[in-house]
């Protein structure tokens, strides 16, 4: 079954993402063994409606690829800051989260280049995804904040889950609108 997949990365890589050309099915291959094979999600967040292609974040080389779903060929390679993770398409813009830094990059697709990158916070990390509200132009970026400044570090006060709110028109992080779950601290 693996030989039927068109390679995007060499099989020597520890993990490889492959696409089955005729059906557009995708698979994650680890050490030449398929561990996940799913049909592609027909989500507007990563699909370009004018061309049957998909954008893929490639963390190992810090690139975003545009892959033709019919041929399985790489159409475009866009260099981005380190560890791209979550992708969301909105008009001519592709937004990319960066796993370790928590940053958000804006790729202007007609130029196929990163136009701007913003930080969600100095202590942010683990940004794996984002969701865009197309009516308001607001992006929600779930990630973690590392509270290494906390002198009384415990398992529930060192790494905190948050959702940053980003105004996409200005590419501005609204720090006053950050969403955080309530965390109970022992005051005793």
């Amino acid at each position: 079954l693996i030989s039927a997949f068109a390679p995007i990365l060499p099989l020597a890589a520890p993990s490889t993402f492959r696409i089955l050309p005729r059906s557009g099915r995708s698979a994650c291959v680890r050490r030449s063994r398929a561990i996940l094979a799913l049909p592609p999600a027909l989500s507007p967040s990563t699909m370009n409606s004018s061309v049957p292609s998909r954008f893929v974040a490639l963390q190992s080389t810090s690139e975003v690829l545009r892959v033709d779903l019919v041929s399985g060929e790489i159409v475009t390679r866009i260099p981005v800051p380190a560890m791209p993770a979550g992708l969301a398409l909105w008009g001519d813009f592709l937004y990319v989260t960066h796993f370790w830094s928590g940053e958000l990059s804006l790729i202007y697709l007609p130029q196929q280049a990163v136009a701007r990158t913003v930080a969600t916070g100095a202590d942010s990390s683990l940004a794996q995804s984002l969701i865009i509200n197309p009516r308001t132009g607001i992006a929600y970026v779930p990630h973690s904040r590392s509270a290494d400044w906390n002198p009384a570090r415990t398992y529930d006060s060192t790494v905190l889950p948050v959702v940053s709110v980003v105004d996409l028109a200005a590419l501005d992080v609204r720090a006053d609108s950050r969403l955080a779950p309530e965390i109970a601290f022992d005051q005793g």
Side-chain angles (χ1 to χ4, degrees):
L1 180 65
I2 297 303
S3 62
F5 288 90
I8 290 179
L9 295 174
L11 278 174
S15 292
T16 303
F17 178 80
R18 295 174 175 232
I19 294 179
L20 187 60
R22 291 189 186 136
S23 70
R25 289 182 178 271
S26 57
C28 176
V29 179
R30 185 172 296 264
R31 302 204 197 288
S32 301
R33 186 174 67 90
I35 59 171
L36 175 67
L38 298 171
L42 298 176
S43 166
S45 64
T46 58
M47 294 292 292
N48 184 325
S49 59
S50 63
V51 177
S53 63
R54 179 179 302 268
F55 292 98
V56 178
L58 196 59
Q59 292 180 343
S60 62
T61 60
S62 298
E63 295 176 295
V64 170
L65 307 179
R66 184 173 178 184
V67 180
D68 184 310
L69 290 178
V70 177
S71 69
E73 297 291 320
I74 296 171
V75 177
T76 306
R77 289 181 177 269
I78 304 169
V80 296
M83 298 298 290
L87 303 173
L89 185 63
W90 190 42
D92 285 336
F93 304 101
L94 181 65
Y95 295 88
V96 182
T97 63
H98 300 280
F99 188 75
W100 288 118
S101 67
E103 293 175 324
L104 179 66
S105 290
L106 162 66
I107 295 174
Y108 183 52
L109 292 173
Q111 293 180 349
Q112 299 178 6
V114 174
R116 190 165 163 213
T117 300
V118 296
T120 55
D123 55 357
S124 295
S125 64
L126 306 180
Q128 299 182 62
S129 63
L130 74 152
I131 189 164
I132 295 175
N133 182 332
R135 288 189 207 137
T136 62
I138 299 294
Y140 298 92
V141 182
H143 59 93
S144 296
R145 293 186 70 192
S146 302
D148 55 1
W149 48 263
N150 184 352
R153 295 180 189 157
T154 61
Y155 73 93
D156 62 345
S157 68
T158 303
V159 178
L160 310 169
V162 296
V163 177
S164 286
V165 178
V166 182
D167 179 352
L168 297 179
L171 202 59
D172 183 46
V173 178
R174 294 182 177 175
D176 60 336
S177 300
R178 183 175 285 143
L179 307 171
E182 293 181 339
I183 300 173
F185 291 96
D186 183 7
Q187 303 296 323

